[in-house]
Amino acid sequence: MRNDCNFKYKTLFGPVPSRRLGISLGVDLVPHKTCSLDCVYCECGPTTHLSLDRKEYVAVDRVKEELAHYLLRDKAIDHITFSGSGEPTLNAAIGEVIRFLKTDYPQYKVALLTNSTLFDQPAVRRQVKGADVVMASLDAATDAQFRRVNRPHPRIDLKAMIEGLAAFRKIFSGRLLMELFLVDGCNDSAAELSEIKRVLQRIRADGIVLNTLDRPGTEAWVQPLGPDRLKEISDFLEGAEIVRYEPIRTDGVKRQANLKQRLVSTVRRRPCTALDVSRIMGMDVETLQPVLDQMVACNQLVLKQMDRGLFYMAV
C-alpha cells in the first residue's frame, strides 16, 4: 500500500455531510453516468451509458487500496457509502468490497444508495446484504410513471424489481430506507400514490423518505413539489420523512491539499451551492468563494440558478 502525499483517489469522494448518514465517505464503483436508469430529475445529468451489464468497472484492488490509504490518515467518518454518479450494484465486485470493509474495518458502518433495479437478481441481494444501511429508490408503482420519471433500460421489469425489494427485505438485517423522489405532475397523483403506498406496505422498510427537486435536474421541465403538498403526501404515507435542506454538522471533515480537484470531484457527482461546498469541505465560504469564482472564469465549473440559490456544476 502506498502512503505518499501525491496518492490520487479515483473512486473515493467527500467526505460529504449527510442528513441521515452523518459524515459519509463516498465510494463510486462505476464510470460517470453508467446507470440502469436515466431519471429526469438526476442531479448528475443524463445517463450516457444505459446498461444492465454487471462487471468490474472499477478494479476491486484499486478500491481496496484507496480505502486503506484513506482510512489510515482520516478516521473521522460515520459511514462509508456506495453512491456517486451511477448505479453501484452494476459493479459485480461490490460484494467483495463490502466483505473487505466488514472484515478489515468493522468499526465503520457501510451504506448503499441504490436505484433498486438489480434487486430482482438473487446474486445482487446476497452481495449487498452485509451493508448496515440500504437506501433504495422507488419512484413509481405503475409502469407508465416508471418509464416517464425513471426512463429505465428496456429490459427492466418494474414488477420483478418490486418482487426483488420484497425478497431483499426478508434476508436483510440492517436498516432499509425507501426513497421516493416526487416530480410535480408525474408520480404525485392520488392513483399513483395509492399504488406506491400498497407496494411500500408490502416491502415493510424501516423508513420512507420523500424527496423532490432541489438541485438542477436532467430535464428543464421537472418541477419540485411545494412544502404543503409534501406534507399531504407524508401524512398519506403515514409519517414519511421529508428531506429538508438545513445546516448539517461538519465536524470531522478535513481540508485536502488539492482543493480544486476535490471541488470538481464533488460537484461532478452532485451540484452544490457555495454554502453546500463550505459544509462539505469544512471551510468557510469567504475562503472558498474566490476559488469557485476562479474556476468558473476558467470554465472548470458552470453556474445554474435554482430556487435554493446559485449552484456550481462540473463542465
Side-chain angles (χ1 to χ4, degrees), residues 185-199:
C186 293
N187 57 350
D188 60 334
S189 69
E192 187 68 27
L193 289 169
S194 293
E195 286 299 308
I196 290 173
K197 183 176 182 178
R198 179 183 62 79
V199 170

Side-chain angles (χ1 to χ4, degrees), residues 200-212:
L200 292 175
Q201 287 174 335
R202 181 184 173 200
I203 295 172
R204 301 180 65 182
D206 298 297
I208 301 168
V209 179
L210 300 182
N211 206 345
T212 194

Side-chain angles (χ1 to χ4, degrees), residues 123-190:
V124 173
R125 299 196 295 265
R126 289 193 299 268
Q127 287 174 5
V128 303
K129 71 176 184 178
D132 297 287
V133 180
V134 171
M135 181 174 290
S137 294
L138 182 70
D139 300 329
T142 64
D143 194 66
Q145 288 304 325
F146 181 52
R147 301 200 174 279
R148 185 180 183 191
V149 173
N150 299 121
R151 300 189 295 197
H153 187 282
R155 296 206 311 269
I156 293 177
D157 181 89
L158 177 61
K159 182 178 179 181
M161 178 178 128
I162 292 171
E163 294 288 339
L165 282 165
F168 179 68
R169 170 76 283 183
K170 293 178 181 178
I171 66 170
F172 182 53
S173 58
R175 180 167 173 78
L176 176 63
L177 301 174
M178 297 300 303
E179 182 171 27
L180 168 60
F181 194 105
L182 294 161
V183 178
D184 187 28
C186 293
N187 57 350
D188 60 334
S189 69

Side-chain angles (χ1 to χ4, degrees), residues 12-25:
L12 304 188
F13 63 97
V16 176
S18 166
R19 290 168 293 279
R20 287 169 293 277
L21 301 176
I23 303 302
S24 171
L25 176 66

Side-chain angles (χ1 to χ4, degrees), residues 92-113:
I94 188 172
E96 186 176 345
V97 182
I98 292 175
R99 286 193 299 273
F100 165 73
L101 288 170
K102 302 307 289 184
T103 300
D104 289 33
Y105 301 94
Q107 66 270 37
Y108 298 108
K109 291 186 177 181
V110 176
L112 167 67
L113 307 187

